[in-house]
Amino acid sequence: MGQTPSNDNPELEPNGKPWSQRAQDIAAVAWPSFLTGSVATMLFFAFIDPLVLQDATFPGWDLSRMTGYALGFFFFWGIAASSSALSIFLTRSGTPVTRD
Amino acid sequence: MKTDSAPQGATSYYEARKKVYPREIKGRFQRLRTLAVFALLGLYYVLPWVKWGDRQALLFDLPARKFYIFNLTFWPQDFYLLAGLLIISAVSLFFVTALAGRLWCGYACPQTVWTEVFLWMEHWTEGDRRQRMKLDKAPWGRDKILRKTSKQFLWITFSIWTGFTFVGFFTPITELGARLMTLELGPWETFWVIFYSFATYGNAGYMREQVCKYMCPYARFQSAMFDRDTLVISYDTQRGETRGSRKRGTDHKAKGLGDCIDCTLCVQVCPTGIDIRDGLQIDCIACAACIDACDEVMDKVGYPRGLVRYTTEHALQNTQTRVLRPRVLIYASLLLALLVGFGYAISSRTPLLLDIIRDRNALYRMTNHGLIENVYTLKVMNMDTRAHRYSLEVSGLAGIHLDLDDKDILVESGEVATLAARVRVPENGMTGSGATITLTLQALDQADLKIVEPARFIGPAPGR
């Protein structure tokens, strides 16, 4: 971060302050999983029609294609987010590597 | 994700984030950025309204599983083209990054572009940097309420329009608009309009360049494409140091001072809050605001422009900058090959598909006339923009014969026809228990529009 000489005039202060660790963690979980979830949704539904999938899973339900896409997207986003969250948890809670 | 409203002193895990007050700046590069905003957002907001014939020119019709791009119609089966397009975009980004650094971040990224528009609205309603800081510190009064409400009104209206336009790429926008006016949007349309509006509002209104610093993967790995010949925005340390304020008209060189008057304007205009004079930093999104700010100051004090400028590390070290280097040539040739391949794939694409599904209930049947019969379900997909009549022929075994319920195969544009096909072969026509036959679907009105698909034909085990 750029540290300019602190000044009494607030106008001369640089913009912003770093995010807290927690905020950075949330961002690092939510955003990449959103991206990968979107790609997974695209790949999956390019090959599978939600209506065909519904016939094979819950034929009794009345779901539209749009509902299928939306559920699929949130499913993939959720799965990716839980994986990211676990990774962060594991790297944060493990024994730190010490080097001499 | 709004951390700036967390109460201080309370048991909040969120550190109260200091608000970013980027100072407005005018100059050549800011004019270029404004131009980019108008061009890109213009495309975004106008394109869904453009018509092509009697339909929307650009429509990703998810409910119907068809993409319309001007005169082309794409089907799920064309997915490889979309994948190719994504790869081309990625390689283009690598190529541009190696050559000219983070041009994408500064001029074209949706995050920067929408943030810019939200900053304009903030500027119109709350004034410049100094006024905004003062307003936030001031107690709530008529003026503050009025200014803040106007800002929120502009932001929210613009966000909703953005969300509406987004959904308009996936649902015909004129109908969507009509349904919006009568408040008859479908549940998912409503949901996605709100989802995208909220994302725009939060990202461009509040998170802004923090997204670049903490959330963007490209910002982290773009340095891998960099080398000493890449165009970067840099402060000329040799020329600028020793920095310091001075009286107008003094001979600063005699006093041992460089050209930097330490006015900190480059810091105040920086949307990510860095000091460009500290050297190349990963937080720099190359928006060039500091160049414009510094040029203006250099003009005022009568020094030459370019103390902060687009340059390369080699140029700063007074050595030759090489534009054509292996990295650039590799990216360029890869990009060229991909583009040629993509162009060929699009132009040689046959807008016709034939899916052959074997009857799962019976492998084969013996007819009264001693023929082996296999039954297939055929799906003929006409991906062309007009209707076609087709003929279907079968070959591959001696005496093979095709029997269709309806010999007249007429498929409208964008439609799928399902046919039951019975293929019969005399018993002596087969040598083993299975053989590969060939089905040829040919458009009657266009010689080059045909598709050849193999299928499996099953008969009784030999020796029976």
Side-chain angles (χ1 to χ4, degrees), chain B residues 274-288:
Chain B
I274 58 170
D275 187 341
I276 192 70
R277 297 170 300 176
D278 294 342
L280 188 60
Q281 289 151 78
I282 200 157
D283 288 349
C284 172
I285 59 163
C287 68

Side-chain angles (χ1 to χ4, degrees), chain B residues 364-374 398-403 422-430 457-460:
Chain B
Y364 66 92
R365 189 177 82 89
M366 299 302 294
T367 68
N368 297 336
H369 306 287
L371 300 169
I372 310 164
E373 182 185 85
N374 278 206
I400 194 163
H401 172 76
L402 171 74
D403 182 25
R422 287 172 297 277
V423 176
R424 299 190 187 114
V425 173
E427 233 177 319
N428 57 7
M430 287 190 76
F457 190 88
I458 311 277

Side-chain angles (χ1 to χ4, degrees), chain B residues 424-454:
Chain B
R424 299 190 187 114
V425 173
E427 233 177 319
N428 57 7
M430 287 190 76
T431 46
S433 66
T436 301
I437 58 168
T438 309
L439 281 86
T440 307
L441 191 66
Q442 166 76 56
L444 295 176
D445 57 347
Q446 195 178 330
D448 63 341
L449 185 56
K450 75 166 181 180
I451 191 160
V452 181
E453 283 286 336

